[in-house]
Amino acid sequence: MQNNIVIEDKGLQYVGASRIEGPLVVVERVRDVGYDEIVEIIDSAGRPRFGRVLDISDKQAVVQVLEGTTGLSNKNIRARFLGESFRLPVSRHMLGRVFDGLGRPADGGPAPLSAELRDVNGMPINPYARRYPREFIQTGLSAIDGMNALVRGQKLPIFSGNGLPHDRLSAQIMRQARLLEEEVEFSMVFAAMGVKHDVAEFFIRNFRESGALARAVMFFSLADAPSVERLLTPRVALTLAEHLAFDCGQHVLVLLTDMTNYCESLREVGTARGEIPGRKGYPGYLYSDLASIYERAGRIEGSPGSITQMAILTMPADDISHPVPDLTGYITEGQIVLDRDLFQRGVYPPIAGLPSLSRLMKDGVGKGYTREDHPILASQLFACYAYVKRVRGLADVIGEEELSALDKQYLKFGEAFEMRFLRQGEYENRSIETTLELGWDVLSTLPRDELHRVSDALLDQYYRESKDVVCEVSV
Amino acid sequence: MATAYKVTEPVAIRISGPIVTAIGMHAAQMYEVVQVGELGLVGEVVRMIGDQATIQVYEDTTMLKPGAPIQRTGAPLSVWLGPGLVGNIYDGIQRPLPGIQAHSGAWIRRGEKVDSLDTEKKWTFEPVASVGDNMMPGQAIGRVVETPLVNHLIMIPPELHGKIKRIVKKGEYSILEPVAVIEDEYGTHEITMMHRWPVRLPRPIRERLRIVQPLITGQRIIDTFFPIGKGGAAAIPGGFGTGKTITQHQLAKWSDADIIVFIGCGERGNEMTEVLREFPELTDPRSGRPLMERTILIANTSNMPVAAREVSIYTGITIAEYYRDMGLNVAVFADSTSRWAEALRELAARLEEMPAEEGFPASLPTRLAQFYERGGAVTTLSGKPASVSIVGAVSPPGGDFSEPVTQHTRRFIRCFWALDTELANARHYPSIHWLHSYSEYAEDVSPWWQKQAPDWTDLRTEALTLLQREDRLQQIVKLVGPDVLPDSQRLILFVAEIIKDGFLTQSAFDENDMYCTPEKQITLMRLILNFYRRGRDLIQAGVPLVRIRQLSCVPQIIRAKTAFGNKELEKIAELEKAAMEEMDGLAREYNIKEGTVICKTT
Ligand SMILES: Nc1ncnc2c1ncn2[C@@H]1O[C@H](COP(=O)(O)OP(=O)(O)OP(=O)(O)O)[C@@H](O)[C@H]1O
Ligand SMILES: [Mg+2]
């Protein structure tokens, strides 16, 4: 039997691999190695790369190399098994710092001092120990606050497309997000997977300008980093977020971008392992894998902190039924969908009226949270806007002139809704009152009788009878 | 497989995610529970080849190593059945989540060992049988008031029978203390208030019954148009965000079942938290008691181990069968069966089984059938009528119903509530599409409804017909606009909108509307249809549609569902009277003679 073990001062090392394929390295005859154990693969130049064990038997270990297998050769590599799963040192002093995708300093600073090491896979939160998210977060954007309100502890992703302004939008949200009552500031954890340098730059600049840099931690696994590394980046970021939220009691806003890149890395590893691919080649366990990331949001009993999660993903070919947005939507608590058509018509933020949804809105708005009329106003706006969409479809067929007077009024309402309510400036921060008043303004372009969802009492209070309040639409 | 370990003790030789291969497992049984490694992770044997066993582990296997010891338990995966289940919340393998929290805080660690039921707690046991009585399997020997809503019968376990040799007096006992001793041909057996039952084995019944009772859910589109019977099985498929969970929550809250088992299977943690927070505060409309007093929750959320997700469905249904055996009507909600099917797929892939459609194992249809077959209206072993109704959510990828889980599920259910993304986007909730949904129970339960209202079948048929005609008319409108249609047909479009806004949509969050009694459902339906019938006659007699549209009763009819509570039906009657008077006014204005208007106002 050939012996591939060498003892060095660093411990047991195995020399050579029987197979290298894609991001995977197979090491034979290993002993005392655990599933998901972290491995250092040392290349011929002596440079170590992190990997982890995906499958372990008494004969061999299948190692996924997180920093890529480029330049590795069967004969010359050495594998050192570190006897533990991947852990991140966590500390509140990591705020204000920039790290790479695996949590190592990338800003030239020293490694953070920390006695706390956390398994990056985290542990599931006991549903019995969760606290239900309730507090309204004002983002200052009418499309979100008025129609798809975000609450503290929610996971609400942004479904975008290439070239759409998801970066500007999420930067605006991070700049403006605040709670109505308390003057607490959010800590920000930012994880970039496979995005380009200029995007990273954009966010750093934004954090700096808004003065949030000291409250932010950034993890970058940029486009030129090995793609498997990305599989750990969101987990590393969330591990720190959990520490900040549940050990230090902070309110943490986590931004993950771009989850589509993450999923592609997952597909790559699956393919290399020869797994049976599911839809569009993504592994069958994509749902569970994404859930293990997205479910790391919320609030728990006994801790004042919270994790609010916004994941950005780009829908390939703007297709919302693509597995990545589809499975994300099945896990998150709603979605903000960006619409190319609105964007091309000059509407920023181009937040699609109908497919966007915040499922926790009902628990964070209304009496005692924002204002009593908020839920009904949103519901009526949605209903009327849905009708606008139908009328527009009809107008395309029979021509606008042929529409009934009422339908024409709906078209006007649609314009007002998009141009006055949805559209706003990148640095315009609207209070929730402004948003609600604006909502009633545009609703009042419709006859009172059309507003079936609103009770008479609320109509008496908010419906603008005199038509002169109705705003002129400027396009 | 040759191995480096020369041992006869069972040890692990391979770990791949939740699948562990072990040797030294001769004489282990299929589905036997084992404990893996130093932490004693719970697992189940799912394949045996020689002395090698494949084990599906219900907990995270990180840092588990080949060579890890395996402890056999000799018993298949079983649940504890006895007082204390109601009001509790469990993970997929029946570990109580409150117990886990008390033990290790907010996070679920590995190797947690907490008893499924409180073994210390004393329950007041009241005997209902006496020494000398001959007991058949499933017969009650005593009862315990488990909650004010649940009279828990202590039964002879299904595999036992015999003569009572001893039985305790009324008093306080824990679930492990013997409360009776029975004797059969093999000897004596102690009976405790708790017994165990293997989750993968259906509990026996005497016979299956025809379904005749509706499960009243308080949801108009369901009860009136697509009813489910007590003991029936329904599927609720829909893309993300279309309302599967909310609808199931609504049903779990308001259904007239005695026991609710809600299985959160691979879904969100917050949704279970929401149930835990809401149910104790909501009161059952029939008894006035908190809903939690009849509810049992199984929560194996999406981030909890996938193998435990697979088993959570069986844990839930076994508990449901147990309460059914007491003669109760139980309703089981599984959210979502697709996540369960995906767990099957994931485990099958790890077991390197040959995949069938879209990677699902070839056994998927069989497994689905076995699950839905565990529901039904039955006569219990002890001769009582009882039922288990099952409502399964289906989450088809991309919202496309042609995928395997939706398609196979359709074969085993008789009630299909098709959720529609477009309706949901338009905030038409519940987004159950009236043209794509069906219920084969409608016939079975119509005698019950006829008793409430002799005209029920007519109302239902007339409303459904209107909606179907509207759909056809809309095709025309889409091509050429509404103007070409005569007023009589545009009235149909108008009334269909009223049916949608005033009847089909029902907010889960509106105090007055979240639960709608059968009486209110009938009253609202009649209100709208009488408006239609009268309007039709007016139009026939020459009144233009615009005048009918402008009647001041129209917005009121649409808002009646929320404006009036279940106990204010007389106000709806008043509204109907006012509406008819308004229409009479129109008739007079257009000089329509009395008698031309043929519509009755009931
Ligand atoms: N009957 C209803 N009344 C009011 N709102 C509803 C109703 N049904 C659904 N909704 C709205 O739709 C949202 C999504 O519903 P729900 O969470 O039930 O979707 P789902 O089909 O379970 O989605 P997923 O598959 O992602 O779990 C809710 O948050 C709520 O805002
Ligand atoms: Mg759901």
Side-chain angles (χ1 to χ4, degrees):
Chain A
M1 194 200 257
Q2 174 199 342
N3 192 350
N4 63 337
I5 302 175
V6 276
I7 313 253
E8 286 194 354
D9 33 328
K10 277 171 124 187
L12 220 52
Q13 289 197 4
Y14 298 83
V15 181
S18 64
R19 196 154 65 90
I20 301 179
E21 188 180 343
L24 304 182
V25 167
V26 180
V27 185
E28 302 289 328
R29 286 183 302 281
V30 295
R31 263 191 284 138
D32 205 31
V33 167
Y35 173 71
D36 209 23
E37 181 167 337
I38 207 78
V39 193
E40 243 177 42
I41 300 283
I42 301 153
D43 61 22
S44 47
R47 206 184 72 91
R49 308 180 190 193
F50 274 122
R52 61 185 202 191
V53 175
L54 288 188
D55 191 328
I56 174 73
S57 69
D58 49 351
K59 290 160 91 190
Q60 62 178 35
V62 179
V63 178
Q64 172 192 61
V65 185
L66 295 167
E67 296 169 85
T69 47
T70 317
L72 292 185
S73 87
N74 274 2
K75 286 241 166 61
N76 295 334
I77 64 160
R78 282 171 300 160
R80 195 161 74 90
F81 292 84
L82 301 185
E84 59 183 28
S85 54
F86 198 93
R87 295 194 292 171
L88 178 79
V90 291
S91 131
R92 71 168 77 213
H93 303 299
M94 290 165 84
L95 286 168
R97 301 280 313 270
V98 180
F99 299 89
D100 74 359
L102 296 177
R104 295 171 298 202
D107 52 4
L113 284 177
S114 167
E116 277 284 321
L117 285 169
R118 289 284 164 82
D119 186 329
V120 295
N121 290 318
M123 282 179 284
I125 300 179
N126 185 335
Y128 188 75
R130 279 185 184 267
R131 262 200 296 157
Y132 198 74
R134 293 230 76 141
E135 298 90 343
F136 172 76
I137 295 174
Q138 180 179 296
T139 65
L141 289 148
S142 296
I144 295 181
D145 295 351
M147 312 281 287
N148 303 290
L150 176 67
V151 303
R152 192 153 69 175
Q154 182 173 14
K155 39 187 181 291
L156 188 65
I158 297 175
F159 288 9
S160 186
N162 290 318
L164 292 178
H166 44 265
D167 292 331
R168 281 157 63 198
L169 175 63
S170 49
Q172 186 173 9
I173 293 172
M174 293 184 103
R175 234 177 6 246
Q176 300 182 168
R178 71 176 193 88
L179 293 159
L180 284 188
E181 311 281 304
E182 304 155 54
E183 270 312 309
V184 269
E185 300 208 299
F186 284 99
S187 303
M188 319 261 183
V189 172
F190 179 85
M193 285 87 67
V195 302
K196 292 213 267 322
H197 281 270
D198 51 347
V199 176
E201 283 298 316
F202 170 83
F203 278 101
I204 295 181
R205 186 158 22 94
N206 246 282
F207 281 129
R208 186 172 294 129
E209 280 165 9
S210 67
L213 200 57
R215 286 182 283 120
V217 193
M218 305 198 172
F219 296 92
F220 288 119
S221 171
L222 296 180
D224 52 4
S227 90
V228 259
E229 178 185 298
R230 286 171 211 155
L231 296 183
L232 275 192
T233 308
R235 296 186 164 83
V236 165
L238 286 162
T239 302
L240 179 66
E242 280 169 355
H243 173 70
L244 294 175
F246 304 129
D247 299 328
C248 308
Q250 302 181 2
H251 295 293
V252 186
L253 195 58
V254 177
L255 192 75
L256 308 171
T257 183
D258 171 330
M259 287 307 286
T260 305
N261 296 337
Y262 170 87
C263 294
E264 272 163 13
S265 299
L266 200 67
R267 176 166 67 179
E268 226 174 283
V269 173
T271 312
R273 291 187 68 187
E275 289 168 353
I276 309 152
R279 263 207 317 152
K280 297 228 156 118
Y282 290 94
Y285 49 81
L286 182 59
Y287 174 85
S288 299
D289 188 277
L290 284 174
S292 73
I293 294 173
Y294 295 141
E295 274 289 308
R296 294 172 79 173
R299 320 192 57 184
I300 58 177
E301 290 293 345
S303 167
S306 64
I307 295 179
T308 308
Q309 215 188 78
M310 292 200 108
I312 296 176
L313 57 87
T314 42
M315 300 181 279
D318 289 352
D319 175 11
I320 197 168
S321 69
H322 181 279
V324 176
D326 190 47
L327 293 179
T328 298
Y330 271 123
I331 303 164
T332 53
E333 286 143 348
Q335 65 281 336
I336 302 288
V337 183
L338 302 192
D339 182 275
R340 200 169 290 280
D341 183 50
L342 274 178
F343 186 57
Q344 278 160 359
R345 284 194 286 132
V347 178
Y348 172 91
I351 295 179
L354 301 184
S356 301
L357 167 72
S358 163
R359 306 200 192 183
L360 301 189
M361 174 165 179
K362 63 182 181 6
D363 306 289
V365 305
K367 212 169 170 174
Y369 297 100
T370 52
R371 217 170 70 181
E372 170 198 31
D373 54 315
H374 192 166
I376 277 296
L377 171 68
S379 153
Q380 186 65 67
L381 281 170
F382 270 123
C384 294
Y385 192 57
Y387 189 73
V388 169
K389 293 270 173 174
R390 275 168 58 190
V391 176
R392 282 183 184 164
L394 186 59
D396 284 346
V397 179
I398 61 168
E400 217 175 301
E401 318 74 54
E402 297 296 312
L403 294 176
S404 70
L406 181 64
D407 285 355
K408 283 182 186 149
Q409 243 177 314
Y410 266 102
L411 286 187
K412 275 226 180 90
F413 158 80
E415 278 295 303
F417 177 75
E418 288 168 355
M419 293 301 167
R420 292 259 313 151
F421 185 85
L422 288 188
R423 191 171 73 158
Q424 71 183 83
E426 203 175 330
Y427 285 85
E428 182 183 354
N429 189 352
R430 293 183 188 157
S431 72
I432 182 64
E433 288 75 25
T434 311
T435 290
L436 295 177
E437 291 306 316
L438 218 47
W440 286 110
D441 281 350
V442 298
L443 258 193
S444 300
T445 56
L446 289 170
R448 188 179 153 135
D449 276 353
E450 284 296 301
L451 312 181
H452 302 312
R453 301 204 173 179
V454 191
S455 70
D456 275 325
L458 281 182
L459 282 175
D460 288 345
Q461 195 175 346
Y462 293 107
Y463 185 77
R464 328 298 198 207
E465 292 291 351
S466 72
K467 290 290 176 228
D468 48 66
V469 290
V470 171
C471 30
E472 256 318 294
V473 177
S474 57
V475 187
Chain B
M1 192 191 275
T3 168
Y5 297 93
K6 294 193 177 58
V7 277
T8 42
E9 288 299 300
V11 290
I13 55 164
R14 178 178 175 192
I15 299 105
S16 168
I19 298 295
V20 168
T21 312
I23 49 162
M25 295 288 289
H26 42 258
Q29 305 155 17
M30 272 300 271
Y31 299 119
E32 176 175 341
V33 171
V34 295
Q35 298 190 343
V36 182
E38 267 82 50
L39 286 171
L41 306 179
V42 183
E44 193 183 16
V45 174
V46 292
R47 185 156 68 194
M48 289 292 310
I49 301 170
D51 83 331
Q52 184 172 319
T54 306
I55 299 163
Q56 156 177 335
V57 181
Y58 296 126
E59 300 179 72
D60 182 20
T61 52
T62 297
M63 286 311 290
L64 195 65
K65 297 173 179 177
I70 312 277
Q71 294 255 323
R72 291 183 40 200
T73 66
L77 188 74
S78 304
V79 285
W80 293 27
L81 301 169
L85 291 166
V86 173
N88 218 328
I89 175 167
Y90 293 105
D91 75 356
I93 51 173
Q94 213 204 6
R95 290 181 301 194
L97 294 177
I100 292 182
Q101 191 202 19
H103 191 240
S104 43
W107 311 90
I108 302 180
R109 285 168 213 282
R110 300 187 293 162
E112 296 277 2
K113 304 261 175 315
V114 188
D115 288 334
S116 299
L117 293 170
D118 188 340
T119 53
E120 311 275 302
K121 182 174 166 135
K122 299 279 187 186
W123 297 90
T124 308
F125 172 85
E126 189 186 334
V128 297
S130 349
V131 173
D133 286 356
N134 258 320
M135 304 304 287
M136 297 308 292
Q139 244 185 313
I141 56 162
R143 64 167 166 250
V144 168
V145 179
E146 186 175 4
T147 73
L149 283 181
V150 180
N151 201 355
H152 190 120
L153 296 185
I154 305 300
M155 298 169 289
I156 302 286
E159 72 282 6
L160 284 180
H161 66 275
K163 189 177 271 189
I164 299 188
K165 275 191 74 183
R166 267 204 335 264
I167 187 159
V168 297
K169 288 209 206 49
K170 180 173 179 179
E172 309 274 299
Y173 305 90
S174 74
I175 55 166
L176 297 182
E177 288 173 72
V179 288
V181 175
I182 62 169
E183 184 171 34
D184 63 9
E185 54 273 34
Y186 304 105
T188 59
H189 310 273
E190 287 186 338
I191 308 285
T192 57
M193 285 194 270
M194 185 276 282
H195 72 274
R196 288 173 210 238
W197 189 265
V199 294
R200 296 184 193 273
L201 190 65
R203 287 173 64 88
I205 52 163
R206 188 180 288 174
E207 61 174 346
R208 287 186 168 267
L209 296 176
R210 232 173 58 98
I211 288 167
V212 288
Q213 291 269 333
L215 181 75
I216 296 299
T217 67
Q219 309 305 304
R220 286 185 294 270
I221 185 159
I222 292 179
D223 290 348
T224 300
F225 292 123
F226 310 108
I228 174 174
K230 286 203 173 85
I236 174 162
F240 64 78
T242 48
K244 296 177 291 297
T245 305
I246 298 269
T247 307
Q248 287 194 317
H249 282 187
Q250 286 300 96
L251 265 54
K253 286 172 189 167
W254 310 121
S255 291
D256 65 341
D258 303 309
I259 295 284
I260 302 291
V261 179
F262 196 100
I263 311 166
C265 170
E267 291 290 313
R268 301 171 184 81
N270 274 333
E271 288 172 351
M272 300 311 290
T273 315
E274 187 179 14
V275 174
L276 281 170
R277 184 178 56 87
E278 264 196 324
F279 278 38
E281 276 159 31
L282 291 169
T283 51
D284 174 22
R286 291 159 203 93
S287 63
R289 299 292 313 176
L291 285 173
M292 206 59 205
E293 290 180 357
R294 62 163 197 183
T295 307
I296 300 160
L297 302 174
I298 313 287
N300 214 93
T301 54
S302 56
N303 55 341
M304 283 154 79
V306 67
R309 189 196 299 170
E310 188 265 331
V311 85
S312 64
I313 287 270
Y314 299 105
T315 298
I317 197 88
T318 307
I319 292 174
E321 287 174 340
Y322 173 65
Y323 281 93
R324 172 204 66 196
D325 291 346
M326 298 175 200
L328 300 176
N329 292 308
V330 185
V332 176
F333 300 93
D335 188 13
S336 152
T337 60
S338 293
R339 303 303 164 219
W340 171 74
E342 282 166 16
L344 292 181
R345 175 169 69 186
E346 193 170 333
L347 294 166
R350 299 261 190 189
L351 292 170
E352 286 151 18
E353 277 177 20
M354 268 295 287
E357 302 154 274
E358 298 194 11
F360 286 106
S363 59
L364 175 70
T366 324
R367 300 288 291 267
L368 280 168
Q370 281 167 351
F371 169 60
Y372 283 107
E373 272 306 293
R374 290 180 74 169
V378 304
T379 307
T380 65
L381 284 184
S382 64
K384 298 190 186 85
S387 67
V388 171
S389 315
I390 303 180
V391 177
V394 184
S395 318
D400 175 3
F401 291 174
S402 66
E403 57 88 43
V405 181
T406 318
Q407 283 309 315
H408 289 304
T409 301
R410 267 186 123 123
R411 296 161 50 197
F412 312 119
I413 50 101
R414 292 178 56 210
C415 185
F416 191 76
W417 299 318
L419 299 184
D420 185 86
T421 304
E422 241 170 75
L423 288 177
N425 280 351
R427 271 48 173 184
H428 171 117
Y429 296 126
S431 68
I432 299 175
H433 200 287
W434 46 94
L435 297 177
H436 307 155
S437 304
Y438 58 82
S439 167
E440 293 171 20
Y441 301 112
E443 279 288 297
D444 303 337
V445 304
S446 72
W448 184 92
W449 279 94
Q450 301 282 1
K451 257 186 248 153
Q452 320 299 310
D455 56 342
W456 184 75
T457 312
D458 299 338
L459 290 171
R460 180 173 180 274
T461 315
E462 188 172 353
L464 273 178
T465 312
L466 275 174
L467 289 167
Q468 280 155 4
R469 290 179 64 189
E470 186 236 14
D471 184 60
R472 279 197 299 271
L473 291 173
Q474 287 292 1
Q475 311 292 335
I476 303 176
V477 171
K478 274 202 196 107
L479 292 177
V480 289
D483 281 350
V484 293
L485 299 181
D487 271 4
S488 61
Q489 292 189 335
R490 289 173 64 188
L491 176 72
I492 292 175
L493 297 183
F494 179 54
V495 172
E497 288 308 313
I498 299 183
I499 296 178
K500 289 181 211 166
D501 285 349
F503 192 86
L504 295 181
T505 50
Q506 185 171 2
S507 167
F509 313 121
D510 183 279
E511 278 297 316
N512 276 338
D513 206 27
M514 49 174 79
Y515 169 70
C516 188
T517 59
E519 297 75 31
K520 186 174 165 190
Q521 297 187 28
I522 294 165
T523 312
L524 286 173
M525 195 80 261
R526 254 194 223 127
L527 166 70
I528 296 172
L529 289 179
N530 281 337
F531 173 83
Y532 166 66
R533 293 165 185 164
R534 192 63 189 276
R536 185 188 52 196
D537 294 340
L538 289 176
I539 282 175
Q540 232 167 35
V543 178
L545 175 65
V546 270
R547 297 299 309 278
I548 297 175
R549 286 186 81 120
Q550 285 164 350
L551 292 176
S552 68
C553 63
V554 171
Q556 292 180 44
I557 292 176
I558 295 173
R559 276 190 222 126
K561 60 177 189 180
T562 49
F564 307 117
N566 286 314
K567 301 220 166 71
E568 297 176 304
L569 298 189
E570 74 293 342
K571 293 201 179 144
I572 302 181
E574 275 165 37
L575 170 60
E576 185 173 330
K577 202 156 149 260
M580 291 307 143
E581 273 162 16
E582 234 186 321
M583 294 172 105
D584 285 344
L586 265 188
R588 277 194 297 278
E589 199 182 312
Y590 282 82
N591 281 323
I592 299 165
K593 288 193 290 314
E594 286 294 321
T596 328
V597 176
I598 34 185
C599 167
K600 296 192 301 284
T601 56
T602 6

